[in-house]
Amino acid sequence: MKAKEIDQSKRLAGYTAIIGGVAAIVLAPIMVIIKYMTGWSIVPKPKWIDTIFPAIDRLFSFGTPVDLWIIYGLIYSAALLLMLFGLISLWRTIKGHANKTQKVSYWVFLIGFVLVLIGDLVHTSTWHQNGLTVPTPGTNLVANTAYATGMMGMNLVLLGSLVFGISALRKRLISPWLAWLFILITPSAPIATLTLLPTSPSGGLMLFSIMMILLGFSFLSRHLSYIRTI
């Protein structure tokens, strides 16, 4: 009975990780487009926006940029929550074999991810207050605090991910492919955010989202293992 319960829990974690990861990847470019629709222009607009916008313009036809930002942003926050379930499920299966470095770095990663989730949820819901239609720093204390919380969380995610991935790879805690993805989250985040996807956290978490899809499939498949078998 317990084995069946464990299998059901793993399957649920697999589906939530996949759904959350796919949703996050799909929403990342959408959030970038909406951000530039509001008039935000601190980072030059990526050229791909003008290329794909005519093909998906109906996705932006049902509301103002503020409405779109809130609706799609809240869906993105839900995607983060789904991926959080997958991340916790991974830890539940490997924590008995983890050393101190891996335990500390995982909790740094997890706490950072929760802060990103909370910061993104609050910031998405509040930056437009007081008649604000363009995201302008310094105009809303709640939104600014939420943004700072999310950024602090993102720094913890990058630090925890790097240390955990390196330690997990060296000590053979998890499969090499998964350990390397944890490691590569850190350098990929600033590159993606400063070039193709200048939004936070969707740009910085793009590789993490891909990793969660693969992790979800590994929960459901016998052919892709997240536990090192050799």
Side-chain angles (χ1 to χ4, degrees):
M1 185 65 178
K2 289 184 178 180
K4 290 183 179 179
E5 290 176 354
I6 292 174
D7 290 341
Q8 291 175 356
S9 175
K10 194 62 63 63
R11 284 196 294 270
L12 178 61
Y15 289 127
T16 56
I18 292 171
I19 294 171
V22 170
I25 291 174
V26 171
L27 287 169
I30 292 176
M31 295 300 293
V32 172
I33 292 173
I34 296 172
K35 195 168 187 177
Y36 283 96
M37 289 173 64
T38 66
W40 186 87
S41 59
I42 295 176
V43 176
K45 185 170 70 171
K47 295 181 179 180
W48 61 262
I49 292 180
D50 292 333
T51 301
I52 73 168
F53 184 82
I56 61 173
D57 61 333
R58 291 187 178 181
L59 296 175
F60 311 100
S61 62
F62 60 87
T64 66
V66 169
D67 296 330
L68 298 172
W69 180 266
I70 295 172
I71 293 171
Y72 284 118
L74 292 178
I75 297 174
Y76 184 83
S77 296
L80 292 180
L81 183 60
L82 292 176
M83 290 191 288
L84 178 62
F85 292 149
L87 188 63
I88 292 174
S89 182
L90 169 66
W91 182 247
R92 290 177 62 186
T93 61
I94 64 175
K95 63 180 180 180
H97 305 284
N99 60 27
K100 184 176 181 179
T101 298
Q102 292 153 5
K103 289 178 180 178
V104 172
S105 59
Y106 168 82
W107 279 103
V108 169
F109 184 99
L110 181 63
I111 291 171
F113 191 81
V114 171
L115 290 176
V116 169
L117 171 57
I118 295 173
D120 180 67
L121 177 62
V122 176
H123 180 262
T124 296
S125 304
T126 59
W127 71 255
H128 63 288
Q129 291 179 355
N130 303 323
L132 183 65
T133 58
V134 177
T136 306
T139 57
N140 187 302
L141 180 60
V142 174
N144 292 338
T145 301
Y147 184 81
T149 299
M151 289 299 97
M152 180 175 64
M154 195 67 194
N155 290 333
L156 293 178
V157 165
L158 300 185
L159 174 62
S161 177
L162 180 63
V163 175
F164 177 81
I166 292 174
S167 180
L169 183 65
R170 293 181 59 191
K171 301 300 181 180
R172 301 186 177 186
L173 177 67
I174 55 180
S175 296
W177 69 266
L178 183 56
W180 272 111
L181 286 175
F182 269 106
I183 294 171
L184 293 175
I185 287 172
T186 303
S188 71
I191 294 173
T193 303
L194 294 174
T195 54
L196 296 177
L197 298 166
T199 53
S200 181
S202 56
L205 292 178
M206 176 57 72
L207 184 57
F208 173 79
S209 303
I210 295 173
M211 183 184 78
M212 294 309 297
I213 294 174
L214 295 176
L215 180 62
F217 276 115
S218 74
F219 285 161
L220 302 172
S221 172
R222 296 180 180 179
H223 303 290
L224 180 63
S225 176
Y226 61 93
I227 300 294
R228 192 178 183 100
T229 57
I230 298 179

